Amino acid sequence: MAEQETKTMTDDVTEKRSAFTLTRQDNGIAILTIDVPGESMNTLKKEFGEEINAVLDEIEADSSIKGVVLTSGKKNSFVAGADISMLAACETQDDAQTLAEGGQAVFDRIERLRPTVVAAIHGPALGGGLELALACHYRVCSDSQATQVGLPEVQLGLLPGSGGTQRLPRLIGIQQAMKMMLTGSAARAKQAKKYGIVDEVVPHSVLLEVATKFASKKKPERSAPQKGLLNKALEKTGFGRDFMFKKARQQTLAKTKGNYPAPEKIINVIEEGMKNGMKAGLAAEAKAFGQLVMTPESYQLRQIFFATTEMKKEEGVKGVAPKKVSKTSILGGGLMGGGIAYVTATKAKVPARIKDIRAEGIAHAMKYSYDLLSKKVKRKFMRETEMQKHMSLLTGTLDYRGMQDSDMVIEAVFEDVGLKQQMVADIETNCNSDTIFASNTSSIPINQIAAKAQRPENIIGLHYFSPVDKMPLAEVIAHEKTSDQTISTTVEFARKQGKTPVVVKDGAGFYVNRILAPYMNEAAYLILAGEPIEHIDKSLVKFGFPVGPVKLLDEVGIDVGTKIIPILVEAFGDRFVAPDAFDKVLEDGRKGKKNGRGFYSYDGDKPGKDVDESIYSLLNISPSSSLSQKEVAERCVLMMLNEAARCLEEGVIRNPRDGDIGAIFGIGFPPFLGGPFRYMDSLGIQHVVNRLTHYSESVGNKFAPADVLQTMAEKEETFY
């Protein structure tokens, strides 16, 4: 064995070039390893161009190399994409276009290499990472859950700029490739094989071995990817392609409302390549990439990416390390409790014991996880054994047995301060002295919940948004006696649950609901002024929100959505007073989607699509639009912006960045606008003050500009 090891060492010649290592083997297959120094994941950088070209020169010059396996030196990733920070150095469209052309040239060289090149993929191969793999002749990936392939550039307001728009459609068909690029969604290993992106899926332990076998083969002669007569008719005929691209544009515009330029450019570039060939397609791709890099939409989306990346590295309190959470308990088996249990078991992979006063409540919470996991198993995203492993982390109880060793208890019971105080007392009696009590309250100040606590330093707010499995934000709310250790531990645990945690100061409505309430109230006042409900909702969707404010109220529950208003009025005064219309609606038994009665109709074939016209007679109004879409959106949004500025001034949020992320991830503030604070900067603070002043004079004093905005306007300051 020792002799064999020595022989291998002497036969293999290894040369190190920064991020790239070329290892020649005596079987004629060379291993090209990417391992970017000092980084946890591989990202492609502009300065690698010379290095990779030098390696490719060497491979071409060495006739003993018959095949090349391209692999990663990182433990759990292939190549996570291109380094986005290099786009900031692009001062013009031409700079960005040149960057894309450089990437295209390198990948074109890989595709034209004499030896067979195989990408051995384990972990994420995203963006430029997948484009690199697509330039190889074969792709083999591991069956690990960590392995995923995709082109998510659209989420940054960009398109794949290194040949992805041309190679992926030719490999797997136009429709599937276009769908992946327009949504930015990644495919897991089995999906990638099914689509035809990878040639083989194997256990990680034999990935290199199998990739080496592929590297020994001749380059493949691939058949057309279209399956079925309909797909062939659509993708292989001029008429079919014209119809397909026209339909794609219509569907895309219906979703983006014209707010995002990248999706349309993706369609245009794919079409150009399919009509006029690869060379024309690559030229169109590089040009479109250059144009998109310079758009304000891409700039704002990239800032969100940098902000969330930065937040992942931060501790809750600087210099205070979190404690490990090994076991949790959840009080309440309702919709929120079930969602919290799900992300605890599946994302954080920590046992969760669910307590409810009824066995049905526990069963309901368990079913929440079971249903979501079953869908993943059916769609082949997950093995049944893995589902069972997740479900085994969930247990239930009608009392406090089995909860004594919980590191954190998350409370998700009714919004009743007395009940929550009783929960605190019960946990202090039944759990250990270090157990953190995290309340999922959406409105009650944490200091009230902690008012009678023996150990107030362990009490914190952890406010999730519904549905918990989908909404990425969690507000972490510390009251004045919460310990730094509790804050850091809660922030880290929320992150492990897959959330982006934002630390906010205790107070009525915290941050997200506080800025949402005046926005929703203004929509209600507009209804009473006669603006049709559809007009209001369409105006805000056109502005960039995923749903309009009235539809959102129906979705959340009119009873739930309005419950916070009296708390806000008590804390902040008349500017939060809601119209009496809400009371009338609730008195009529309308709670929204959950009981099938709200502002929208839930009868018929398309529940929730059309407004329930009887709402107008109930409120004694005759709808007639007098305001433009722009005016409607401006009035609602200005109320939100004004309140966000006050929150920053009062220290409710730590900085504008947290305020922007909270609004985008918590209530769907349009990402392409960058969040309330970046949006105010782009408008100009003086412009914001002028518009608020206009409405305060023409509509009412609730629009009076916040002091902080007036001061900033006078000093010509910006938030960033």
Side-chain angles (χ1 to χ4, degrees), residues 16 35 42 73 142 159 242 281 376-377 476 492 531 599 643:
K16 182 73 181 169
D35 193 349
N42 288 324
S142 75
L159 50 64
D242 288 347
K376 290 192 173 188
V377 172
V476 176
E492 181 57 24
E531 293 298 326
F599 289 95
E643 205 57 42

Side-chain angles (χ1 to χ4, degrees), residues 89-130:
C90 297
E91 293 178 7
T92 65
Q93 179 185 318
D94 287 345
D95 290 344
Q97 183 172 331
T98 302
L99 200 63
E101 287 167 348
Q104 288 179 351
V106 170
F107 291 174
D108 189 46
R109 273 202 76 184
I110 291 170
E111 190 173 50
R112 288 187 289 104
L113 273 180
R114 174 187 47 74
T116 302
V117 186
V118 182
I121 303 165
H122 172 65
L126 301 172
L130 178 56

Side-chain angles (χ1 to χ4, degrees), residues 176-237:
Q176 185 59 50
M178 194 153 51
K179 183 182 173 185
M180 286 183 73
M181 284 184 250
L182 291 175
T183 61
S185 59
R188 298 283 179 190
K190 282 188 178 176
Q191 278 179 301
K193 174 80 163 65
K194 183 183 170 187
Y195 296 159
I197 300 171
V198 300
D199 297 286
E200 197 62 80
V201 177
V202 298
H204 184 213
S205 57
V206 295
L207 178 63
L208 269 181
E209 185 185 323
V210 175
T212 300
K213 285 179 182 172
F214 271 92
S216 306
K217 295 182 178 185
K218 288 180 180 176
K219 292 171 190 172
E221 290 180 16
R222 297 193 182 272
S223 56
Q226 291 78 31
K227 293 169 187 169
L229 286 173
L230 180 61
N231 281 346
K232 281 180 182 171
L234 283 172
E235 300 199 12
K236 284 294 184 186
T237 65

Side-chain angles (χ1 to χ4, degrees), residues 481-494:
K481 292 180 182 174
T482 305
S483 72
D484 289 351
Q485 179 85 73
T486 298
I487 297 169
S488 282
T489 301
T490 306
V491 165
E492 181 57 24
F493 187 66

Side-chain angles (χ1 to χ4, degrees), residues 684-717:
I685 307 300
Q686 186 63 61
H687 175 81
V688 176
V689 169
N690 291 346
R691 297 310 293 157
L692 284 164
T693 304
H694 162 75
Y695 285 117
S696 69
E697 290 167 356
S698 60
V699 177
N701 196 49
K702 62 187 174 181
F703 280 98
D707 292 344
V708 64
L709 289 175
Q710 296 189 70
T711 305
M712 287 177 72
E714 286 165 18
K715 294 181 179 178
E716 297 185 350
E717 292 175 341

Side-chain angles (χ1 to χ4, degrees), residues 302-314:
R302 294 193 318 260
Q303 299 319 303
I304 295 165
F305 173 81
F306 292 134
T308 51
T309 304
E310 197 177 87
M311 289 170 84
K312 284 173 189 172
K313 297 171 186 172
E314 293 176 355

Side-chain angles (χ1 to χ4, degrees), residues 60 343 352 379 408 466 492 511 528 530 556 586 702-703:
E60 280 284 21
V343 295
R379 291 176 184 171
M408 181 182 281
S466 186
E492 181 57 24
Y511 171 66
L528 292 183
V556 169
L586 285 169
K702 62 187 174 181
F703 280 98

Side-chain angles (χ1 to χ4, degrees), residues 490-631:
T490 306
V491 165
E492 181 57 24
F493 187 66
R495 204 173 276 139
K496 284 206 160 97
Q497 290 176 315
K499 303 298 166 195
T500 298
V502 174
V503 178
V504 301
K505 195 168 86 174
D506 192 20
F510 314 128
Y511 171 66
V512 171
N513 281 338
R514 181 170 159 186
I515 67 169
L516 181 63
Y519 163 86
M520 302 284 272
N521 278 353
E522 191 54 29
Y525 280 116
L526 287 168
I527 294 172
L528 292 183
E531 293 298 326
I533 290 166
E534 301 107 311
H535 179 55
I536 295 166
D537 276 350
K538 280 178 182 172
S539 300
L540 274 306
V541 169
K542 172 71 179 131
F543 181 79
F545 282 91
V547 292
V550 190
K551 173 59 77 69
L552 179 62
L553 192 56
D554 258 14
E555 294 279 343
V556 169
I558 299 164
D559 54 336
V560 175
T562 56
K563 198 166 188 176
I564 192 175
I565 299 297
I567 297 166
L568 290 165
V569 172
E570 187 183 339
F572 305 113
D574 290 349
R575 73 173 185 269
F576 278 95
V577 172
D580 295 335
F582 282 145
D583 294 332
K584 273 189 178 179
V585 171
L586 285 169
E587 282 164 16
D588 193 46
R590 295 173 187 254
K591 293 183 180 179
K593 184 180 179 180
K594 64 182 173 186
N595 78 334
R597 297 193 71 222
F599 289 95
Y600 283 79
S601 171
Y602 294 91
D603 297 328
D605 298 336
K606 295 178 180 177
K609 187 172 177 7
D610 299 316
V611 170
D612 181 351
E613 296 294 328
S614 67
I615 196 83
Y616 295 122
S617 51
L618 173 71
L619 299 175
N620 199 26
I621 48 177
S622 300
S624 176
S625 182
S626 62
L627 299 175
S628 68
Q629 280 193 342
K630 190 179 176 184
E631 288 171 305

